[in-house]
Amino acid sequence: MARIVIVSNRIPATSPKGPQAGGLAIGLKDCLKDGGLWFGWSGDISAQTSTDAKISHTGKIDVATIDLSREDYKKFYVGYSNSTLWPLLHFQPGLVEFDRAQFETYLSVNHAFARALAPLIQPSDIIWAHDYHLIPLACSLRALGVKNRIGFFLHVPFVPASLLSVLPRADKLMHMLCTYDVVGFQTHQHLRDFEDCVRNFLNVPIEPDASIGIDNHPLRAIATPIGIDARAFARQAKRSAQSRVTKRLEESMVGRALIIGVDRLDYSKGLPNRFEAFGRLLDRFSEHRLKVSYLQVAARSREDVAEYQRLKRDLDRRAGEINGRHAEFDWVPLRYITRAVSRATLAGFYRKARVGLVTPLWDGMNLVAKEYVAAQDPDDPGVLVLSRFAGAAEELTEAIIVNPLDSDEIAEALHQALTMPRAERKARHEKLFEKICRTTAASFCRDFISALLGESCGADHITTTLVPTATRS
Ligand code: ADQ
């Protein structure tokens, strides 16, 4: 059996204690249950970016980490990764910053990852890199002579060529992406957008199994949605519903219906529009006044990036404004917490919520949508209101699907969800639950690893052989 080497920017096991908010760790926990190596940034800043990895062990997993220098952290992580690529890949070209020095640091930090990782690689290992921080990693590893199979999964959306063309050096980025043996995306739409970019930036036609040029490099691109262990999460939710903290929440509701939102505090999650929509629900459907409360759990995230600081100030103001306008002495309509909450607690809260409100402006998948569905009581389930621009909307079509920019449409969806008859709630939930049990964290890992091993896999995929024009000259 090949050893699996996961590479991601952050290593979950070495993150500070306490609840963590972030989808990547949740989706990959299963993948190394039989052991393997997980490599990434320690989360620590040192005088210099490390040249060698520090090794530790958690259970059967070997964990290898490097530290970053402050300058590399700023240019690689805060800069190119989160102020250039993140807004671009979330369809926010107006927020994209570009600085050539940051791009160079993005490449050099990937090279530092590769230099520290290469000595740890055994001949039969397969290497699986995760997310937009690590697009150049395969190029760097190949330059150091690593011959193993290397795959890449993009957790966030991919964009059409017309949008990628906004980015300086987009052709170089595409070329680096195509150095991987397998590239995976969350949805068919992202896969189609990738094909579009291959055609446009690399001038390579997509012809399944076609061989192009001489020193050709076969690339397999697949769409395989990430998921959760839905049945285990459902069991957790049932247990958590009896916990002291869930009981406290329930008592505080005094019979009112609960709407819940759970997100990292990120501008891609559509929180300002969501707050606005809740205000409109109370304005337009007055029967819900005093009868409903909306709990938004928003874990602070990337606080070094200026745009995130602005977002937090904006939401603090909006929350105050909504409560100031609508609250009564015995009713706080909007409860807003800017902290992470443990998964066990979240599971119980989801189960008590009549509506799960998941309205990102753009999102690779969105695991909160799946967690909310998993947590429901099948005999009296709540209703998922879901953005059409979350990757999850491609699968979860029995949710009430909304455009997250249209606060009135969200308010109408909330009204529909709050008044939906039980029989319809049960029928929708049954189908949704069946779907989230089909595409799980385990099936995601299995499909991707099969593709990387060159086997046929459950995921829909295209296989093509690419010789990017950039490498021909
Ligand atoms: P994220 O943007 O982090 O992940 P998401 O898929 O919603 O988004 O995952 C968040 C995870 O963190 C969930 O498991 C959720 O329970 C947890 N979480 C969120 N807010 C929390 C809070 N306040 N307290 C505690 N836990 C919280 C990225 C992509 C997504 C993609 C995932 C996985 O942006 O599109 O679905 O990776 O591929």
Side-chain angles (χ1 to χ4, degrees):
M1 245 297 269
R3 181 177 72 152
I4 300 172
V5 177
I6 300 266
V7 192
S8 60
N9 178 53
R10 291 300 301 272
I11 299 286
T14 60
S15 297
K17 292 219 161 39
Q20 290 175 24
L24 186 143
I26 307 296
L28 286 180
K29 228 174 62 198
D30 247 32
C31 194
L32 295 184
K33 64 179 187 310
D34 297 324
L37 172 66
W38 198 321
F39 182 98
W41 173 39
S42 60
D44 293 333
I45 304 290
S46 288
Q48 301 272 311
T49 293
S50 326
T51 46
D52 300 308
K54 266 185 271 167
I55 313 278
S56 61
H57 308 277
T58 47
K60 293 183 192 164
I61 306 174
D62 299 325
V63 178
T65 56
I66 60 168
D67 298 346
L68 292 181
S69 69
R70 181 152 304 281
E71 171 135 12
D72 280 353
Y73 166 74
K74 277 200 179 144
K75 291 183 174 163
F76 159 76
Y77 181 74
V78 178
Y80 194 76
S81 296
N82 286 319
S83 304
T84 306
L85 287 181
W86 177 272
L88 181 83
L89 294 172
H90 288 87
F91 281 68
Q92 300 280 342
L95 297 181
V96 172
E97 294 169 13
F98 182 81
D99 175 338
R100 206 178 275 186
Q102 291 182 354
F103 181 58
E104 293 303 327
T105 305
Y106 176 69
L107 301 182
S108 69
V109 168
N110 269 272
H111 205 63
F113 266 57
R115 266 201 319 271
L117 174 61
L120 309 178
I121 299 297
Q122 298 160 10
S124 61
D125 286 351
I126 52 172
I127 304 167
W128 187 6
H130 288 265
D131 233 0
Y132 57 100
H133 317 83
L134 299 178
I135 291 172
L137 186 75
C139 256
S140 295
L141 286 169
R142 294 283 181 242
L144 294 170
V146 173
K147 300 267 187 295
N148 306 55
R149 301 275 294 165
I150 313 177
F152 175 85
F153 187 80
L154 186 68
H155 289 258
V156 299
F158 202 72
V159 290
S162 55
L163 186 50
L164 194 65
S165 64
V166 166
L167 182 71
R169 313 304 313 274
D171 54 341
K172 182 156 184 176
L173 210 67
M174 281 303 295
H175 172 232
M176 292 186 294
L177 193 48
C178 291
T179 304
Y180 283 94
D181 297 306
V182 176
V183 179
F185 301 95
Q186 302 270 23
T187 69
H188 292 93
Q189 183 58 52
H190 304 155
L191 180 58
R192 282 193 292 273
D193 288 336
F194 171 71
E195 291 177 32
D196 180 31
C197 289
V198 168
R199 272 185 219 103
N200 275 275
F201 289 95
L202 305 180
N203 196 20
V204 173
I206 301 283
E207 289 172 35
D209 300 321
S211 211
I212 311 161
I214 23 164
D215 52 343
N216 50 7
H217 165 65
L219 169 75
R220 190 169 185 189
I222 65 172
T224 175
I226 198 165
I228 59 168
D229 184 345
R231 292 189 196 281
F233 198 77
R235 286 193 296 275
Q236 172 70 65
K238 202 169 173 188
R239 278 195 307 275
S240 293
Q242 304 308 320
S243 72
R244 212 162 45 87
V245 61
T246 308
K247 293 264 187 253
R248 266 178 59 200
L249 171 67
E250 206 171 6
E251 281 161 21
S252 76
M253 293 299 295
V254 287
R256 296 181 174 118
L258 176 66
I259 299 170
I260 195 165
V262 175
D263 306 79
R264 281 185 308 98
L265 215 162
D266 191 300
Y267 53 80
S268 68
K269 303 293 181 185
L271 292 165
N273 302 57
R274 212 185 290 177
F275 280 20
E276 177 67 29
F278 180 62
R280 292 205 192 174
L281 173 80
L282 301 178
D283 285 334
R284 290 181 46 200
F285 301 94
S286 58
E287 62 267 45
H288 299 300
R289 286 185 54 76
L290 293 160
K291 303 260 176 52
V292 63
S293 282
Y294 163 29
L295 169 62
Q296 177 62 53
V297 186
R300 290 194 300 279
S301 174
R302 302 177 194 163
E303 292 178 273
D304 289 352
V305 182
E307 203 51 45
Y308 289 69
Q309 296 162 8
R310 269 195 287 279
L311 173 69
K312 171 140 189 326
R313 284 196 298 275
D314 180 37
L315 290 174
D316 289 352
R317 185 188 58 74
R318 284 174 192 265
E321 198 266 327
I322 287 174
N323 279 332
R325 191 150 55 92
H326 294 283
E328 296 288 343
F329 67 91
D330 58 352
W331 173 54
V332 180
L334 172 58
R335 303 173 182 196
Y336 166 54
I337 303 173
T338 55
R339 287 190 302 276
V341 170
S342 79
R343 267 175 85 66
T345 300
L346 280 182
F349 286 9
Y350 287 138
R351 194 169 175 100
K352 292 294 162 193
R354 173 45 51 95
V355 184
L357 188 53
V358 183
T359 57
L361 301 180
W362 221 269
D363 215 336
M365 176 53 56
N366 198 296
L367 294 179
V368 170
K370 296 188 173 185
E371 289 167 358
Y372 177 75
V373 170
Q376 296 310 298
D377 174 355
D379 284 331
D380 189 14
V383 179
L384 177 64
V385 174
L386 180 61
S387 161
R388 56 185 290 202
F389 303 125
E394 202 172 83
E395 292 175 277
L396 304 184
T397 47
E398 290 78 13
I400 302 180
I401 304 290
V402 294
N403 185 323
L405 291 172
D406 187 344
S407 297
D408 280 303
E409 190 180 327
I410 300 174
E412 286 152 14
L414 286 172
H415 175 66
Q416 185 189 347
L418 288 164
T419 54
M420 188 179 285
R422 181 163 154 168
E424 184 179 347
R425 284 188 275 123
K426 280 178 74 169
R428 285 179 186 251
H429 176 260
E430 200 177 311
K431 292 204 174 104
L432 290 172
F433 189 73
E434 200 259 317
K435 287 179 175 175
I436 61 166
C437 288
R438 229 185 302 140
T439 50
T440 60
S443 70
F444 162 73
C445 291
R446 197 182 51 232
D447 285 350
F448 192 92
I449 297 291
S450 300
L452 194 49
L453 289 169
E455 298 163 358
S456 67
C457 64
D460 291 328
H461 63 273
I462 53 164
T463 305
T464 191
T465 303
L466 301 178
V467 183
T469 46
T471 62
R472 284 189 188 142
S473 53

